[in-house]
Amino acid sequence: MLDILTRYDILGAFWMTIQLSFWAALGSLALGTILAIMRVSPVAVLQKLGALYVNVARNTPLTLILVFCVLGAFYILQLSLAPASAPLRTQIFLWAIVGLSLYHAAFVCEALRSGVNTVPVGQAEAARAIGLTFTQSLSQVILPQAFRGAIAPLGSVLIALIKNTTVASIIGSQEASAMMKTIVENETGSLLVFFIFALGFVILTLPIGVGFTEMSRRLAVKR
Amino acid sequence: MPEPLVVMKDVNKHYGDMQALKQINMTVGKGEVVVLIGPSGSGKSTLIRTINRLETITDGTITIDGVLLPEEGAGLAKLRSDVGMVFQSFNLFAHKTILENVTLGPIKVRGMKKADADAKAMELLKRVGVDHQANKYPAQLSGGQQQRVAIARALAMEPKVMLFDEPTSALDPEMINEVLDVMIQLAKSGMTMVVVTHEMGFARKAANRVVFLADGQIVEENTPEEFFTNPQSDRAKDFLGKILTH
């Protein structure tokens, strides 16, 4: 029974999960930060655009977003993220990162916005009073404190993102859950198989939960 | 009369139906120390906050050193860098050390080199007596120390005028004097200051002029001595009667 461990590259599949998670985490953090800035900016149009994006992305099933990325954007609209000579799995890998980033950016934005709400209004006033511009106030004073206030909710978003990479299997990404499906089809649906993959995800996510809780405690802004 | 530095002309401010400031005309000369006094809700905090546009105004004009206060953008940031502000609740940047609090403005706004900014900040921190705490975080300091750091932070920008919005109201009684002493020193050094405070001692020792506000209007303006001993208006008499009987 345990020979499936040697006959299938399970570690390789989890490595794909880690890569997807890592790049999608970076992508969603970048886009989510921009969205959060839009939503707290004094410009009404930007606020509305940010809110619209968050509500659309957050309320669309991730499956739909990923299918749209591959079927809609890649096959129908012929949008390619890699040179035409690149193998299909590279295209799918990149589109999976894009889809995961687009979706989770909405949650990152809301986590950051809750972080911004932990920063007292006096901090922004003091920043403006010494002559910092809006961008400088954000980057020097508001966001550093907002990130610290948002560490715990950002950790939850990251954990959800790691588990949501399993959805990418439906567009053909060869990550952990796709590997599990293959093993179940070819071999057996024994509890052991589920247990191995469940354990794999626990190993990935549990330390993140513990780490983020510890970080949020250690980096908390003392007021 | 010294050269005018802050000039407010026919300034009105509305919050919905409520009029917070009514036809404010006030001039603060270079080197002058003006104390704003009045019952709570009289508009004195609103007034001082309009001077660096932390509060917008409905109409009227405010000029600083002859320059009309810009409505927003880089021009406003530039002008604010010349106007120091000290808040009731200190508002030190909670995630930065004391030293970083003082050097942030000089480095980011004035483009000063870090080493120069550090040296200047240490000098200012020494002047307000908190140089030994330079590497601590604001939450580790007492209220009086934090407020003195806030004064140093504002001074680091070499402002033309300093605004103090009830700087001692959030302090424990034993810490009020350490802050007032710094403010009195500053006044003696020739700094132009606008101060919202109920500290009569400070007004008598350091102010050139007391401006009494009630219901968003300037009711009376006089020298501290005249104002406290011989108030003209009924509102001022009533107000002083309430705060001086204790």
Side-chain angles (χ1 to χ4, degrees), chain A residues 121-133 136 140-142 144-145 148 221-223, chain B residues 49 52-54 77 80-81 83 85 87 91-96 104-105 108-109 139 153 157:
Chain A
V121 64
Q123 296 284 307
E125 288 188 346
R128 283 188 280 158
I130 59 169
L132 295 180
T133 61
Q136 286 174 326
Q140 298 297 320
V141 178
I142 313 293
Q145 294 188 43
R148 292 168 187 225
V221 182
K222 312 261 185 314
R223 304 202 185 277
Chain B
R49 287 163 58 88
N52 65 354
R53 211 175 159 84
L54 286 178
R80 278 179 177 150
S81 70
V83 180
M85 177 108 189
F87 300 88
N91 295 348
L92 292 181
F93 304 130
H95 64 306
K96 291 192 180 288
L104 182 67
K108 292 291 166 188
V109 179
R153 174 175 70 181
M157 301 303 291

Side-chain angles (χ1 to χ4, degrees), chain B residues 29-100:
Chain B
K30 271 188 186 145
E32 210 179 3
V33 177
V34 174
V35 163
L36 298 178
I37 212 166
S40 79
S42 60
K44 51 196 195 303
S45 272
T46 307
L47 192 157
I48 200 170
R49 287 163 58 88
T50 62
I51 298 177
N52 65 354
R53 211 175 159 84
L54 286 178
E55 294 284 348
T56 56
I57 55 176
T58 314
D59 50 51
T61 58
I62 300 174
T63 59
I64 293 170
D65 212 3
V67 180
L68 193 67
L69 206 55
E71 284 192 10
E72 54 190 291
L76 179 59
K78 169 84 188 64
L79 201 128
R80 278 179 177 150
S81 70
D82 289 333
V83 180
M85 177 108 189
V86 175
F87 300 88
Q88 181 176 350
S89 47
F90 330 133
N91 295 348
L92 292 181
F93 304 130
H95 64 306
K96 291 192 180 288
T97 63
I98 297 310
L99 184 65
E100 289 166 344

Side-chain angles (χ1 to χ4, degrees), chain B residues 20-34:
Chain B
L21 295 177
K22 294 173 193 160
Q23 286 297 113
I24 299 292
N25 284 290
M26 186 175 92
T27 303
V28 181
K30 271 188 186 145
E32 210 179 3
V33 177
V34 174

Side-chain angles (χ1 to χ4, degrees), chain A residues 182-204:
Chain A
T182 312
I183 296 177
V184 169
E185 270 164 29
N186 294 354
E187 311 282 334
T188 166
S190 80
L191 282 176
L192 182 68
V193 176
F194 295 112
F195 180 72
I196 289 170
F197 283 93
L199 184 70
F201 277 99
V202 169
I203 289 171
L204 284 184

Side-chain angles (χ1 to χ4, degrees), chain B:
Chain B
M1 180 77 194
E3 201 181 329
L5 188 60
V6 179
V7 181
M8 305 180 77
K9 223 174 149 203
D10 301 328
V11 171
N12 288 294
K13 159 101 188 163
H14 297 262
Y15 287 114
D17 288 338
M18 216 274 285
Q19 188 163 4
L21 295 177
K22 294 173 193 160
Q23 286 297 113
I24 299 292
N25 284 290
M26 186 175 92
T27 303
V28 181
K30 271 188 186 145
E32 210 179 3
V33 177
V34 174
V35 163
L36 298 178
I37 212 166
S40 79
S42 60
K44 51 196 195 303
S45 272
T46 307
L47 192 157
I48 200 170
R49 287 163 58 88
T50 62
I51 298 177
N52 65 354
R53 211 175 159 84
L54 286 178
E55 294 284 348
T56 56
I57 55 176
T58 314
D59 50 51
T61 58
I62 300 174
T63 59
I64 293 170
D65 212 3
V67 180
L68 193 67
L69 206 55
E71 284 192 10
E72 54 190 291
L76 179 59
K78 169 84 188 64
L79 201 128
R80 278 179 177 150
S81 70
D82 289 333
V83 180
M85 177 108 189
V86 175
F87 300 88
Q88 181 176 350
S89 47
F90 330 133
N91 295 348
L92 292 181
F93 304 130
H95 64 306
K96 291 192 180 288
T97 63
I98 297 310
L99 184 65
E100 289 166 344
N101 262 276
V102 183
T103 57
L104 182 67
I107 292 173
K108 292 291 166 188
V109 179
R110 299 275 191 249
M112 202 185 263
K113 286 205 191 75
K114 190 180 175 299
D116 298 343
D118 282 353
K120 183 180 184 177
M122 285 312 295
E123 199 180 299
L124 283 166
L125 287 173
K126 194 167 182 174
R127 186 164 148 198
V128 299
V130 273
D131 48 330
H132 296 302
Q133 326 280 344
N135 293 315
K136 289 190 180 169
Y137 285 87
Q140 297 171 284
L141 269 59
S142 73
Q145 290 171 328
Q146 287 193 53
Q147 194 60 300
R148 284 182 282 149
V149 173
I151 294 172
R153 174 175 70 181
L155 287 176
M157 301 303 291
E158 296 181 352
K160 291 175 181 167
V161 51
M162 287 276 286
L163 310 175
F164 293 82
D165 187 5
E166 304 208 29
T168 56
S169 301
L171 294 176
D172 292 334
E174 75 269 24
M175 292 172 186
I176 291 178
N177 280 334
E178 60 186 65
V179 171
L180 289 180
D181 286 345
V182 169
M183 290 170 61
I184 289 168
Q185 262 182 42
L186 195 60
K188 285 192 177 136
S189 75
M191 175 61 77
T192 310
M193 294 162 68
V194 182
V195 185
V196 173
T197 187
H198 290 136
E199 296 294 332
M200 304 300 153
F202 172 79
R204 281 171 188 262
K205 262 187 226 161
N208 301 98
R209 189 150 51 102
V210 172
V211 173
F212 176 73
L213 270 102
D215 304 323
Q217 276 174 308
I218 294 179
V219 179
E220 202 170 326
E221 269 185 83
N222 219 327
T223 61
E225 213 42 56
E226 269 299 296
F227 177 76
F228 290 122
T229 51
N230 187 20
Q232 301 299 307
S233 62
D234 289 342
R235 286 303 304 262
K237 280 178 197 161
D238 180 48
F239 176 72
L240 289 174
K242 278 176 187 149
I243 62 168
L244 293 179
T245 46
H246 300 291

